[in-house]
């Protein structure tokens, strides 16, 4: 996550089959304070929606506006295995939902219209043809 300058990571996205998420909204020049969420579940979400420009480490170079509930309440276990709840709004709410969806095999493009999703996928295929990076 830090190597790719991401603000969140779901374990399964790097091949670790656990329902574990890390999030650190701190800037690159701030001390690292990773938050860990084990078995996170959205137990409530607001009716109100919010739109954020989202990116994803699994979909390099595509950023799209994504609509989601503006606030969520999430139940999870902390790093010590203690039951916790958090109510989040803003970027944290968006990031929590983005990561929790990864745990179920979903990407933010699954929330886009088919037109916009297909455009992202086409762009990704093109990028892969032109680079032989580690994600290729
Ligand atoms: O680094 C990331 N930024 C981001 C911006 C808006 C909404 C969600 C995210 S998560 C993303 C890292 C990532 O892909 N995690 O799965
Ligand atoms: Ni992602």
């Amino acid at each position: 996550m830090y190597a790719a300058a991401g603000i969140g990571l779901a374990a399964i996205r790097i091949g670790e089959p656990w329902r574990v998420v890390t999030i650190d909204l701190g800037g690159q020049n701030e001390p690292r304070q990773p938050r860990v969420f084990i078995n996170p579940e959205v137990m409530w979400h607001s009716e109100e929606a919010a739109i954020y420009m989202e990116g994803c480490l699994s979909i390099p170079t595509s950023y799209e506006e994504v609509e989601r509930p503006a606030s969520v309440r999430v139940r999870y276990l902390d790093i010590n295995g203690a039951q916790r709840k958090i109510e989040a709004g803003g970027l944290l709410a968006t990031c929590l939902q983005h990561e929790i969806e990864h745990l179920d095999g979903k990407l933010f493009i699954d929330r886009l219209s088919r037109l916009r999703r297909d455009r992202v996928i086409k762009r990704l295929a093109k990028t892969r043809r032109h680079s032989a990076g580690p994600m290729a």
Side-chain angles (χ1 to χ4, degrees):
M1 178 176 83
Y2 291 119
I7 57 172
L9 187 71
I12 194 62
R13 299 309 307 155
I14 54 165
E16 300 291 342
W18 308 102
R19 296 183 71 88
V20 175
V21 159
T22 58
I23 295 181
D24 188 341
L25 301 183
Q28 280 175 264
N29 297 321
E30 289 176 54
R32 292 177 173 181
Q33 287 185 300
R35 305 183 199 218
V36 177
F37 301 88
I38 300 169
N39 287 350
E41 282 181 77
V42 176
M43 44 190 298
W44 170 86
H45 65 78
S46 61
E47 290 300 319
E48 188 199 347
I51 296 176
Y52 267 91
M53 189 64 96
E54 295 197 22
C56 182
L57 300 176
S58 301
I59 313 172
T61 72
S62 278
Y63 300 85
E64 297 282 335
E65 289 188 328
V66 181
E67 184 173 340
R68 302 176 178 279
S71 312
V72 287
R73 201 172 299 136
V74 172
R75 175 178 33 213
Y76 65 99
L77 299 180
D78 70 15
I79 193 71
N80 300 309
Q83 272 280 1
R84 286 184 179 274
K85 287 173 193 169
I86 185 174
E87 185 158 336
L91 183 57
L92 182 57
T94 290
C95 196
L96 275 166
Q97 293 173 75
H98 177 118
E99 303 308 340
I100 290 170
E101 287 187 352
H102 277 320
L103 300 181
D104 294 318
K106 293 185 198 130
L107 302 171
F108 78 78
I109 56 172
D110 296 316
R111 286 182 168 271
L112 304 180
S113 66
R114 195 162 99 184
L115 182 74
R116 291 174 67 209
R117 181 167 53 248
D118 286 351
R119 207 174 54 198
V120 170
I121 291 168
K122 257 195 179 146
R123 202 182 304 137
L124 189 58
K126 203 167 187 176
T127 308
R128 285 196 174 144
R129 278 202 299 279
H130 290 284
S131 79
M135 306 290 280

